[in-house]
Coordinates of all heavy atoms in Angstrom, one line a residue:
Q8 N -19.1 -50.8 -39.8 CA -20.6 -51.3 -39.7 C -20.7 -52.6 -40.5 O -21.5 -53.5 -40.1 CB -21.5 -50.3 -40.2 CG -21.6 -49.0 -39.3 CD -22.4 -47.9 -39.9 OE1 -22.9 -48.1 -41.0 NE2 -22.6 -46.8 -39.2
D9 N -20.1 -52.7 -41.6 CA -20.3 -54.0 -42.4 C -19.4 -55.1 -41.9 O -19.6 -56.3 -42.4 CB -19.9 -53.7 -43.9 CG -20.9 -52.7 -44.4 OD1 -22.0 -52.6 -44.0 OD2 -20.6 -52.0 -45.5
Y10 N -18.5 -54.9 -41.0 CA -17.6 -55.9 -40.5 C -18.4 -57.0 -39.7 O -19.1 -56.7 -38.8 CB -16.5 -55.3 -39.7 CG -15.6 -56.4 -39.0 CD1 -14.6 -57.0 -39.8 CD2 -15.8 -56.8 -37.7 CE1 -13.8 -58.0 -39.2 CE2 -15.0 -57.7 -37.1 CZ -14.0 -58.3 -37.9 OH -13.2 -59.3 -37.3
H11 N -18.1 -58.3 -40.0 CA -18.7 -59.3 -39.2 C -17.5 -60.3 -38.9 O -16.7 -60.6 -39.7 CB -19.7 -60.1 -40.1 CG -20.9 -59.2 -40.4 ND1 -21.9 -58.9 -39.6 CD2 -21.2 -58.7 -41.5 CE1 -22.7 -58.1 -40.2 NE2 -22.3 -57.9 -41.4
S12 N -17.5 -60.8 -37.7 CA -16.5 -61.8 -37.3 C -16.7 -63.1 -38.0 O -17.9 -63.4 -38.5 CB -16.5 -61.9 -35.8 OG -17.6 -62.7 -35.4
A13 N -15.7 -63.9 -38.0 CA -15.9 -65.2 -38.6 C -17.0 -66.0 -37.9 O -17.7 -66.8 -38.5 CB -14.6 -66.0 -38.6
D14 N -17.0 -65.9 -36.6 CA -18.0 -66.6 -35.8 C -19.4 -66.1 -36.2 O -20.4 -67.0 -36.3 CB -17.8 -66.4 -34.3 CG -16.7 -67.2 -33.8 OD1 -16.2 -68.2 -34.4 OD2 -16.1 -66.8 -32.7
E15 N -19.6 -64.9 -36.4 CA -20.9 -64.4 -36.9 C -21.3 -65.0 -38.1 O -22.4 -65.4 -38.5 CB -20.9 -62.9 -36.9 CG -20.9 -62.1 -35.6 CD -20.9 -60.6 -35.8 OE1 -19.8 -60.2 -36.3 OE2 -21.8 -60.0 -35.5
L16 N -20.3 -65.0 -39.1 CA -20.6 -65.5 -40.4 C -20.8 -67.0 -40.5 O -21.7 -67.5 -41.2 CB -19.4 -65.2 -41.4 CG -19.2 -63.7 -41.7 CD1 -17.9 -63.4 -42.5 CD2 -20.5 -63.1 -42.4
R17 N -20.1 -67.7 -39.6 CA -20.4 -69.2 -39.4 C -21.8 -69.4 -38.9 O -22.4 -70.3 -39.5 CB -19.4 -69.8 -38.6 CG -18.1 -70.2 -39.2 CD -17.2 -71.1 -38.3 NE -15.9 -70.8 -38.5 CZ -15.1 -69.9 -37.8 NH1 -15.6 -69.3 -36.8 NH2 -13.9 -69.7 -38.2
G18 N -22.3 -68.6 -38.1 CA -23.6 -68.7 -37.5 C -24.6 -68.5 -38.6 O -25.7 -69.1 -38.7
R19 N -24.4 -67.5 -39.5 CA -25.3 -67.2 -40.6 C -25.3 -68.2 -41.7 O -26.4 -68.6 -42.2 CB -25.0 -65.9 -41.1 CG -25.5 -64.7 -40.5 CD -25.3 -63.5 -41.4 NE -25.4 -62.4 -40.5 CZ -25.1 -61.1 -40.8 NH1 -24.7 -60.9 -42.0 NH2 -25.1 -60.2 -39.9
F20 N -24.1 -68.6 -42.1 CA -24.0 -69.5 -43.3 C -23.6 -71.0 -43.0 O -23.6 -71.7 -43.9 CB -22.9 -68.9 -44.2 CG -23.3 -67.5 -44.7 CD1 -22.6 -66.4 -44.1 CD2 -24.3 -67.3 -45.6 CE1 -22.9 -65.1 -44.6 CE2 -24.6 -66.0 -45.9 CZ -23.9 -64.9 -45.5
G21 N -23.3 -71.2 -41.7 CA -22.9 -72.7 -41.4 C -21.4 -72.8 -41.5 O -20.9 -72.1 -42.4
S22 N -20.8 -73.7 -40.8 CA -19.4 -73.8 -40.9 C -18.9 -74.5 -42.1 O -17.8 -74.4 -42.6 CB -18.9 -74.7 -39.7 OG -19.5 -75.9 -39.7
A23 N -19.8 -75.2 -42.9 CA -19.4 -75.9 -44.1 C -18.9 -74.9 -45.2 O -18.1 -75.1 -45.9 CB -20.5 -76.8 -44.6
E24 N -19.7 -73.7 -45.2 CA -19.4 -72.7 -46.2 C -18.2 -71.9 -45.9 O -17.6 -71.2 -46.7 CB -20.7 -71.8 -46.4 CG -21.8 -72.4 -47.1 CD -22.7 -73.2 -46.2 OE1 -22.3 -73.2 -44.9 OE2 -23.7 -73.6 -46.6
L25 N -17.7 -71.9 -44.6 CA -16.6 -71.1 -44.2 C -15.6 -72.0 -43.6 O -15.6 -72.2 -42.3 CB -17.1 -70.0 -43.2 CG -17.9 -69.0 -43.8 CD1 -18.4 -68.1 -42.6 CD2 -17.2 -68.1 -44.8
S26 N -14.8 -72.7 -44.3 CA -13.7 -73.5 -43.8 C -12.7 -72.6 -43.4 O -12.1 -71.8 -44.2 CB -13.3 -74.5 -44.8 OG -12.7 -73.9 -45.9
M27 N -12.3 -72.6 -42.1 CA -11.2 -71.8 -41.5 C -10.2 -72.6 -41.0 O -10.3 -73.7 -40.6 CB -11.8 -71.0 -40.4 CG -13.0 -70.0 -40.8 SD -12.5 -68.8 -42.0 CE -12.2 -67.5 -40.9
P28 N -8.9 -72.2 -40.9 CA -8.5 -70.9 -41.3 C -8.1 -70.9 -42.8 O -7.8 -72.0 -43.3 CB -7.3 -70.7 -40.4 CG -6.7 -72.1 -40.2 CD -8.0 -73.0 -40.2
G29 N -8.1 -69.7 -43.4 CA -7.7 -69.6 -44.7 C -6.3 -68.9 -44.7 O -5.8 -68.4 -43.7
R30 N -5.7 -68.9 -45.9 CA -4.4 -68.2 -46.0 C -4.6 -66.9 -46.9 O -5.2 -66.9 -47.9 CB -3.5 -69.2 -46.9 CG -3.1 -70.4 -46.0 CD -2.1 -71.2 -46.7 NE -0.8 -70.6 -46.3 CZ 0.2 -70.6 -47.1 NH1 0.2 -71.1 -48.3 NH2 1.4 -70.0 -46.7
I31 N -4.1 -65.9 -46.3 CA -4.2 -64.6 -46.9 C -2.8 -64.1 -47.2 O -1.9 -64.1 -46.3 CB -5.0 -63.6 -46.0 CG1 -6.4 -64.1 -45.8 CG2 -5.0 -62.2 -46.6 CD1 -7.3 -63.4 -44.9
L32 N -2.6 -63.5 -48.3 CA -1.4 -62.7 -48.7 C -1.7 -61.3 -48.7 O -2.6 -60.8 -49.4 CB -0.8 -63.1 -50.1 CG 0.4 -62.3 -50.5 CD1 1.6 -62.4 -49.7 CD2 0.8 -62.7 -51.9
A33 N -1.1 -60.5 -47.9 CA -1.3 -59.0 -47.8 C -0.1 -58.4 -48.4 O 1.1 -58.7 -48.0 CB -1.5 -58.6 -46.3
V34 N -0.3 -57.5 -49.3 CA 0.8 -56.8 -50.0 C 0.7 -55.3 -49.7 O -0.2 -54.6 -50.2 CB 0.7 -57.1 -51.6 CG1 2.0 -56.5 -52.3 CG2 0.5 -58.5 -51.9
D35 N 1.7 -54.8 -49.0 CA 1.6 -53.4 -48.6 C 3.0 -53.0 -48.1 O 3.7 -53.9 -47.4 CB 0.6 -53.1 -47.5 CG 0.1 -51.6 -47.6 OD1 1.1 -50.8 -47.4 OD2 -1.0 -51.4 -47.8
D36 N 3.5 -51.8 -48.4 CA 4.8 -51.3 -47.9 C 4.7 -50.5 -46.6 O 5.7 -50.1 -46.1 CB 5.5 -50.6 -49.0 CG 4.8 -49.4 -49.5 OD1 3.5 -49.2 -49.2 OD2 5.3 -48.5 -50.3
D37 N 3.5 -50.4 -46.1 CA 3.3 -49.6 -44.9 C 3.3 -50.5 -43.7 O 2.3 -51.3 -43.6 CB 2.0 -48.8 -45.0 CG 1.8 -47.8 -43.9 OD1 2.2 -48.2 -42.7 OD2 1.2 -46.8 -44.0
P38 N 4.3 -50.5 -42.8 CA 4.3 -51.4 -41.7 C 3.0 -51.4 -40.8 O 2.7 -52.4 -40.2 CB 5.6 -51.0 -40.9 CG 6.4 -50.2 -41.8 CD 5.5 -49.6 -42.9

Side-chain angles (χ1 to χ4, degrees):
Q8 292 171 356
D9 293 339
Y10 174 79
H11 299 283
S12 72
D14 288 336
E15 287 177 296
L16 293 174
R17 276 191 213 95
R19 271 190 208 172
F20 300 107
S22 60
E24 289 84 357
L25 293 173
S26 61
M27 301 295 264
R30 294 189 80 214
I31 298 174
L32 174 62
V34 187
D35 204 300
D36 58 349
D37 184 329

